Amino acid sequence: MPLPPTSTKSILDIRAEILEGKRSTNEEIWVSYQPFLFSRGYKLRPRYSPDWQPSWKLAGDKSPRIYLYEDAITPYRADVVMDAIRMADNRHVALKKVETSSEEVEIAQFLSSSEIASDPRNHSVPIFEIIHHPDNKDVTFLVMPVLLEMDYLPFRRLGEFAEAPELIRRAGPAIHARQQYRT
């Protein structure tokens, strides 16, 4: 999925908008998805509820330290990934919005198939569920566990750091040992 166009707004403009309780265009898209995702058992942060009111405004707080409030936090890549709570088991999950026609959906299904997922050499992120949006045939959500970014992994020892590329390298042959993905 291509990156969104670079914004011409300054950091100060963005902070002022957040202080006022405004959501970005990308966030408004998630607000539009919220009722559907809730009906499927996924609860987004309060900020993405259609009737959201900023908690710092409700509390009468006019200080610029609104980042003390959970609903003032905006995800880095809100255009593509959003976190949610899976209501069935209260698990924190990531929802990745992808184009339905992209190869990513097909690859995710393949890597999450029981035969491939059960292979101990497969270290790919498990996909819990694939949800197709009923009103927008171009949008599909991949539901997966929340993961840390690669550059923030909590390596405690040099050996753990050195082992990570080896685990990634082993994933390729694990897939090809079962079958070729593309014919």
Side-chain angles (χ1 to χ4, degrees):
M1 188 172 278
L3 292 175
T6 306
S7 174
T8 57
K9 293 180 185 178
S10 74
I11 295 294
L12 293 176
D13 292 337
I14 293 169
R15 289 191 70 190
E17 287 179 0
I18 292 171
L19 184 61
E20 292 170 22
K22 293 182 180 177
R23 293 182 281 224
S24 71
T25 303
N26 289 330
E27 290 180 303
E28 289 294 343
I29 291 169
W30 285 98
V31 171
S32 73
Y33 296 147
Q34 188 273 347
F36 166 69
L37 291 168
F38 189 83
S39 75
R40 294 297 302 260
Y42 296 96
K43 184 178 178 185
L44 299 181
R45 292 173 182 263
R47 181 178 182 85
Y48 302 101
S49 175
D51 59 351
W52 171 71
Q53 293 294 316
S55 60
W56 60 93
K57 284 188 165 187
L58 295 174
D61 191 346
K62 295 182 178 162
S63 82
R65 295 178 44 166
I66 61 167
Y67 293 102
L68 299 174
Y69 296 88
E70 186 272 339
D71 62 331
I73 299 169
T74 59
Y76 170 66
R77 290 294 315 261
D79 58 321
V80 178
V81 179
M82 182 63 59
D83 68 321
I85 299 296
R86 185 170 59 187
M87 294 183 290
D89 57 3
N90 233 17
R91 182 169 185 159
H92 196 199
V93 297
L95 302 171
K96 184 174 183 186
K97 181 180 70 168
V98 297
E99 293 179 24
T100 303
S101 62
S102 75
E103 289 183 337
E104 190 165 358
V105 175
E106 189 179 345
I107 293 168
Q109 287 175 316
F110 174 75
L111 292 174
S112 295
S113 67
S114 59
E115 184 180 359
I116 300 297
S118 64
D119 189 319
R121 298 173 295 174
N122 179 6
H123 299 284
S124 60
V125 176
I127 303 299
F128 297 143
E129 186 176 5
I130 297 174
I131 304 172
H132 300 285
H133 196 290
D135 299 329
N136 187 341
K137 302 297 183 204
D138 295 331
V139 174
T140 295
F141 300 98
L142 303 178
V143 182
M144 59 189 78
V146 171
L147 302 176
L148 298 173
E149 293 185 36
M150 182 65 172
D151 57 344
Y152 291 112
L153 288 177
F155 296 118
R156 293 172 295 207
R157 296 176 189 84
L158 183 60
E160 292 173 349
F161 179 77
E163 184 182 29
E166 175 64 17
L167 294 175
I168 294 167
R169 186 192 64 75
R170 275 194 256 154
I175 294 166
H176 291 287
R178 299 284 183 197
Q179 64 182 17
Q180 288 293 325
Y181 177 68
R182 292 277 182 205
T183 55

